[in-house]
Amino acid sequence: LRANGFGSSTTIEIEGRFFWEGSKNLTFYESEFESHFLTKARDEYDNKAKKWISECTAPEYLKLVDNVFNHEEKYCTTLLQPETRPKLMKRVENELISKRN
């Protein structure tokens, strides 16, 4: 396992910018970060849903949920591995919508 997340890699330069190129190896990322991150996200949104439901009207709750989805989509795009996006969005959907009907 290489520290850069690639099983094998090289750097390439395109128009003066350097990029990693190679085959992904996300084993360390998944076990040491992603699994903990997804658990924390589940717990956080479970707690927020309970609080919001007790304090908000249905339209207010739906607006908060929409804001969360927009925030997490942006977060996934800019900070996380692309493979984490569907897992996180499923957790958010489950905690804020599916479990609340």
Side-chain angles (χ1 to χ4, degrees):
L1 175 65
R2 306 235 341 208
N4 60 18
F6 290 99
S8 62
S9 66
T10 59
T11 55
I12 58 170
E13 181 181 1
I14 301 174
E15 298 178 7
R17 296 178 64 191
F18 291 90
F19 301 91
W20 291 108
E21 183 177 71
S23 60
K24 282 187 179 183
N25 181 344
L26 298 178
T27 305
F28 184 78
Y29 169 84
E30 290 168 345
S31 66
E32 297 300 318
F33 171 73
E34 186 185 63
S35 64
H36 303 288
F37 174 76
L38 293 173
T39 298
K40 292 289 186 186
R42 181 195 65 214
D43 295 346
E44 176 184 352
Y45 287 119
D46 178 52
N47 290 332
K48 284 185 177 186
K50 289 173 184 173
K51 180 179 187 285
W52 293 343
I53 286 171
S54 71
E55 297 175 351
C56 300
T57 64
E60 291 170 334
Y61 181 80
L62 293 174
K63 183 161 180 61
L64 290 168
V65 170
D66 188 51
N67 289 341
V68 167
F69 275 97
N70 290 331
H71 168 78
E72 293 300 349
E73 284 282 348
K74 186 176 182 181
Y75 186 74
C76 288
T77 304
T78 57
L79 299 174
L80 299 173
Q81 289 290 325
E83 295 82 358
T84 304
R85 183 192 169 280
K87 298 172 191 174
L88 176 61
M89 299 312 292
K90 185 66 179 167
R91 294 270 171 113
V92 172
E93 177 185 339
N94 188 52
E95 295 307 317
L96 297 180
I97 299 171
S98 299
K99 283 177 56 176
R100 308 302 162 190
N101 50 19

